Amino acid sequence: MKRAVLTYIRVIDAMNYRVGRFAMYLLFVLIGVLLWSIFMRAMSYNFDGFIPAGWTIEIAKFLLVAYFIVGGPYSMQLGANVRMDLFYGGWTPKQKAWMDAITILFLAFYLSVVLNGAASSLAYALGAHYKLGAWEFFGMLISSFFTGGFDAAGEHLGRFEATRTWKLPLWPIKLTIALGVILMLLQASSELLKDLLRIRGEEI
């Protein structure tokens, strides 16, 4: 049993380590977009209504959210989150493990609520009818895909939500955010298992 738990921990940690590092490197893309905006504004260019400050700020906001969410599990794994320490620093390792485990349970509840919101936002971006619940919408897509393939699933898709300026579809970014929340939930489960092992006094 312990071997299975340790294998699960290593798999989740390794996956989020690679995804988090990749997200960190992609921040250079965001930096490039912002530098482009600054440069074009300084040069006072305006290409037929494509004002650089418009689309770059729009894209930068979505990229920043996506990078932050996808990089969240990596930060959680490293313990890089900010903690207000009044008593924690003076506790024993087992007491810290208890507190961390309780905190993770609260975090898991919060992330579950966020995942529901992310799924609803993604469903809206894919053109789901406003009266149709997110999970019902994705259930229809999945069942249609397995029974009739891509064409049948595509019949449930509506008009894609797009950016205001370049009319780029928003579903790829919202899908990234939803997947990032799922990765955070997986990392939270890994951290909880680590805490439980520490409580039992076992090596990880």
Side-chain angles (χ1 to χ4, degrees), residues 73-104:
Y74 181 54
S75 299
M76 190 188 308
Q77 184 183 136
L78 296 180
N81 51 301
V82 177
R83 178 188 289 116
M84 186 176 70
D85 188 357
L86 295 177
F87 310 104
Y88 188 87
W91 288 352
T92 65
K94 184 173 288 190
Q95 289 173 328
K96 290 180 180 179
W98 271 110
M99 178 55 70
D100 291 340
I102 294 171
T103 303
I104 287 293

Side-chain angles (χ1 to χ4, degrees), residues 4-26:
V5 170
L6 290 175
T7 300
Y8 176 83
I9 290 172
R10 292 190 184 102
V11 169
I12 297 300
D13 285 2
M15 176 179 64
N16 280 326
Y17 175 83
R18 289 178 173 82
V19 172
R21 298 279 292 185
F22 181 68
M24 284 195 328
Y25 292 130
L26 282 179

Side-chain angles (χ1 to χ4, degrees), residues 103-116 185 188:
T103 303
I104 287 293
L105 292 176
F106 280 107
L107 177 63
F109 172 76
Y110 169 75
L111 289 175
S112 299
V113 175
V114 173
L115 178 60
N116 186 63
L185 277 167

Side-chain angles (χ1 to χ4, degrees), residues 29-46:
V29 177
L30 176 58
I31 293 172
V33 169
L34 294 176
L35 288 176
W36 171 259
S37 173
I38 294 170
F39 173 76
M40 294 301 286
R41 181 181 292 189
M43 297 297 290
S44 299
Y45 284 143
N46 184 342

